[in-house]
Structure formats: C-alpha cells, structure tokens
Amino acid sequence: MNVVDLARLQFAVTATLHFLFVALTLGLVTVVAATQTRAVRAADPALRATRMRRVRFWGGLYVVNYALGIVSGLTQEFQFGLNWSGLSHVMGNVVGAPLAIESIAAFFLESTFLGLWAFGFDRVPPRAHLALIWGVALTAYLSTFWVMVVNGFMQRPVGYEMRDGVAHVTDWGAILTNGATWYAVLHIAGAVALLAGLFMAAVSAHHLRRGQHTDFFRPTLVQGSVLAGCGAVVTSVAGIVQLGALQDYQPEKYAVLMGQAGAELDTVRAAAAARYGDGDWLPPLWVGGASVLMLVLGVVLVLLAWVPATAARGGAVGETLARRRFRLRLPSVLLLLGFVALICGWLSREVGRQPWMVTGELTVHDAVADVSPGGMLASFVVFTLVLTTLALVDWMLMVRFARLGPDKGLLSDTALFPGAERRTVPRDGDRGTSEADVHPSY
C-alpha cells in the first residue's frame, strides 16, 4: 500500500471508532438531561427520587463512554497535523476557526460542565445541577455542529475564493447555512437518538429477562424502544432528503449510491472529466453496496425498534414465555445492527466523496502530508491499537456497570461519596433512611 492508501485507511479506522463513541455519547446525554428535567419538575418526592435514581444509572454509563471517547478524539486532532497537512495549507483559513471552536466546546466547556455535574450530586442546588447537565448536552451538540460545518464545506464548498492556491473566506453566512451541513446535522440527530434508544432497550431487556429491578427497567425499556423508533424515522427521512440533494452538488456520488451503471455511469464520468480534467472522478463502486446495506438496516430498524416495548406490558392471553423472551433479546440484535448502519452511513458520506478531500478543489492525494511509508504505517498501527484498546475497555466497562444495576453504578450514591451511604432496608432495629431523606432537595 502507498502513503495515500495508508493515510486513508488510518483515518477511516480512527474516525469510525471515534464516531461510535460520539454517537452514543450524544444520545445518552440527551436521555440523562431529559430524565433529570422530569425529576426536578416532579412534585412527589418519591417520584423525584425514583427518577434521580435513573439519572445516576444512565449518567454513570454516559460518563464512562464520554471519558474514553475524549481520549479517542485526541487521535483525530493528530490526524490533521500528521497526515493531512495539505488540507491545512490550502483550506486552513476556512476549516481552522470551526475546528478551534469545536475543541474549545468539547475539551473545555463540555468537560468542565460534566465534571461539575458528576461531582455535584447533593452538593449543588437541584436547578443549578440540572442546568449543568443541559450545559453538557448543549456544548456536545455545539461541538458536533462545528465539526459538521467543516465536513459540510468539504462536501459542498461555499462562501470562499481561491487566491494563489489558498482558500479565503468570503461569506461565513453561506458556510454556516450550507445545506450539506444541515441535512447531515438532522441525520445525525436522528441517528444518535436511535442508538441511545437501542442501548437503553438492550440494557433494560437484559435485566428484565432475569427478573432483576423490574420496576426500574420496565419503563426504560418502553422509553428506549420509543426513542429508537422515533430516531429511526427521523434518520431515514433525513437520509432520503440528503440523498436527493446530492444530485445538485455531488452528482458522481449520487450516481454511485443510486446504483447507476452502464451508459448512465459513463455519462456522469464524462461530465466529471469535462469539469475537472482527465481522470476517473467517480468514487469506488463498492460504496454503493454500503449505502444499500444502510438503507436495508434503516427499514429493519424503523419496523422493529418499537417491538421490544410490547414486552414490558402484561402478557397476552395464551402468550408463551418463549415469545416474550424473543422480544427481550431483540434489542441486543438491533443495537448491533444500529452500529453497523451507523458505520455504513459514515462510509457512504465520506468514501462517496473520493477522490476529493474538498469536492472540486482539493484531492486526497494532494492533501496527504509528506510522510514516509514507514512512518505512516507505524502511526497507523499505533493509532489502531490505541483506539481498539479504548473501544474494548469502553465496552467492558459499560457492560460491567450496566449489569451491576441501578444501585452499584459509577454515579450511585456510595460510588463517588463513600461517606454518604444510603440504606433503604432497616438494619439492627433502625428504621433505615429512605432515598428522599438523603436527598430532600430532590
């Protein structure tokens, strides 16, 4: 493999693994913020305590995923400097500011809010504590938006002019309102809701199959299934709209994703050659297969994401246990399919842009840094090992804390604050202390 192929493969691996962290993080923080809002608004202290218990459980899983996701994101920062200096030299005036704002939002604001929130249980007034988690959520989406501003520009460059081979911004309004950005933002918003809902449903179904914490996980199974179903619909609709828009600014990608062949594809290839010069400007034809797989999985998820919710209801007359168990095992399968669909969507968007780094202006070949094949191979091996290790550690920790249940998670009452033990069952003649007693503010 040459340097360009190694650089592309390295970015594909690192970006794919990091994106899986990001997608689940965005979905879970929204769930946690919404759940805590309901808790603070609840008038009944017992209901408030129950909902805060859910906040601690799902929030603990979110913190684990966020922490390891931040570390994986550092490799993305290195990518541009190590492997893609051509992008910085030619397009730095356009992409530099949005990426700088994204770093400030993700590594400073978001992490600060999250730290205050995670250690602020019972130490910060309820409404201020609620404001912190919403600060985490809003800065997370703000970070995502600025990344998509850059990606949208790379897909459909607008609001700039070239001077001596260097891009200069002429209209920030055009860049910020780029249709290629906003279609993708809506698509991602649906995808993260889908992934978070499937994750909630899978964890809830795991405990319900074993008859554990039934009162806790029965509602979250329904909530997760409904959230996943709504996310699947939004993702599918936004994806269809986005696909239709490609015909205007990426006709080559549109032709391949739509499976055009023969004379139709030859016509598109000739038009691209007339526009950009001699060469084959079409993306790899296999990306069309990734797009088809994504569409098939999208239909499956739209049809089946809501099914696990029916297992939380009372059993129908004559319904067998085997049938109920099928519905409770379904979320684990759907979660895997959700991750696969997410990867296929990323491949369709990014590989479909090849051979361009910035459509019509900068090719991938011209954007690659002057790095030796040995150096590129070494960085690829190191980054892949680091990210794979992070992914495995993340998965093991998430599974461990998910299986421990609502009272033994990372943010449970005794996890971060060992002195604040909560007793719900009387011991040694003592009546015990209820959750509402320890958390009178909630």
Side-chain angles (χ1 to χ4, degrees):
M1 298 180 69
N2 57 34
V3 172
V4 176
D5 291 335
L6 285 171
R8 289 180 59 192
L9 183 59
Q10 181 177 151
F11 191 83
V13 171
T14 56
T16 299
L17 291 174
H18 176 61
F19 185 46
L20 296 181
F21 284 101
V22 171
L24 187 55
T25 294
L26 284 173
L28 282 180
V29 73
T30 309
V31 168
V32 173
T35 304
Q36 187 164 345
T37 300
R38 295 182 66 211
V40 171
R41 291 174 59 88
D44 181 22
L47 179 59
R48 202 176 306 163
T50 298
R51 289 176 177 172
M52 283 306 301
R53 191 165 164 240
R54 293 185 184 130
V55 169
R56 287 177 179 270
F57 176 71
W58 297 112
L61 296 176
Y62 161 71
V63 169
V64 170
N65 194 71
Y66 175 87
L68 293 169
I70 279 289
V71 179
S72 72
L74 294 176
T75 61
Q76 295 300 100
E77 299 294 329
F78 286 113
Q79 290 286 321
F80 294 104
L82 290 177
N83 298 344
W84 305 104
S85 60
L87 177 65
S88 300
H89 293 157
V90 178
M91 296 291 171
N93 293 327
V94 181
V95 305
L99 289 178
I101 296 173
E102 186 274 335
S103 296
I104 292 173
F107 291 98
F108 292 95
L109 291 177
E110 185 182 356
S111 57
T112 299
F113 287 143
L114 179 60
L116 292 171
W117 176 81
F119 290 95
F121 283 94
D122 311 320
R123 298 184 175 189
V124 177
R127 293 190 180 278
H129 195 241
L130 175 64
L132 287 173
I133 191 60
W134 276 113
V136 175
L138 292 176
T139 50
Y141 280 97
L142 180 64
S143 174
T144 302
F145 168 74
W146 286 110
V147 170
M148 295 314 299
V149 166
V150 173
N151 188 269
F153 176 83
M154 294 166 73
Q155 301 282 344
R156 180 174 178 258
V158 294
Y160 76 106
E161 66 178 12
M162 300 297 295
R163 303 175 197 161
D164 299 325
V166 177
H168 295 268
V169 176
T170 59
D171 187 355
W172 276 110
I175 294 174
L176 296 178
T177 58
N178 192 345
T181 296
W182 286 99
Y183 292 142
V185 167
L186 184 59
H187 190 62
I188 288 176
V192 300
L194 166 65
L195 204 60
L198 292 176
F199 180 76
M200 286 182 68
V203 173
S204 302
H206 169 82
H207 288 277
L208 292 178
R209 287 201 310 269
R210 289 158 177 76
Q212 302 170 345
H213 311 289
T214 305
D215 292 338
F216 183 92
F217 287 109
R218 188 186 295 269
T220 57
L221 175 65
V222 176
Q223 293 166 8
S225 298
V226 173
L227 178 62
C230 294
V233 172
V234 172
T235 305
S236 299
V237 173
I240 292 172
V241 173
Q242 189 175 197
L243 180 61
L246 289 178
Q247 195 168 9
D248 295 330
Y249 60 89
Q250 286 182 320
E252 298 83 17
K253 178 194 287 189
Y254 178 82
V256 172
L257 295 185
M258 293 300 293
Q260 294 182 8
E264 290 181 327
L265 204 59
D266 290 339
T267 300
V268 174
R269 184 179 285 109
R275 188 182 308 117
Y276 304 125
D278 293 336
D280 188 358
W281 303 102
L282 265 64
L285 297 182
W286 63 261
V287 77
S291 178
V292 171
L293 179 58
M294 176 187 64
L295 292 174
V296 171
L297 292 177
V299 172
V300 171
L301 292 170
V302 168
L303 294 176
L304 298 182
W306 59 271
V307 171
T310 63
R313 301 183 305 183
V317 177
E319 184 180 35
T320 63
L321 179 62
R323 186 174 180 183
R324 180 76 66 89
R325 282 191 171 276
F326 167 77
R327 283 180 288 168
L328 290 177
R329 292 186 183 278
L330 184 60
S332 298
V333 177
L334 294 180
L335 178 61
L336 176 61
L337 296 182
F339 279 117
V340 174
L342 205 68
I343 293 174
C344 288
W346 184 88
L347 290 174
S348 298
R349 182 172 176 85
E350 298 305 302
V351 179
R353 189 173 72 242
Q354 300 299 315
W356 297 106
M357 172 66 76
V358 179
T359 303
E361 287 291 356
L362 180 66
T363 65
V364 171
H365 185 275
D366 292 334
V368 173
D370 184 15
V371 180
S372 67
M376 190 70 74
L377 179 61
S379 63
F380 167 66
V381 171
V382 171
F383 282 164
T384 301
L385 287 176
V386 169
L387 280 168
T388 302
T389 301
L390 288 173
L392 291 175
V393 171
D394 178 65
W395 183 251
M396 289 188 295
L397 288 175
M398 295 280 277
V399 169
R400 178 177 181 272
F401 284 118
R403 287 179 174 175
L404 285 175
D407 299 318
K408 298 180 181 179
L410 183 66
L411 297 182
S412 63
D413 289 351
T414 58
L416 292 179
F417 310 108
E421 294 186 0
R422 175 172 55 87
R423 291 181 290 167
T424 56
V425 179
R427 296 182 296 184
D428 300 329
D430 187 1
R431 70 173 181 89
T433 304
S434 69
E435 189 162 4
D437 292 333
V438 176
H439 309 294
S441 60
Y442 281 113

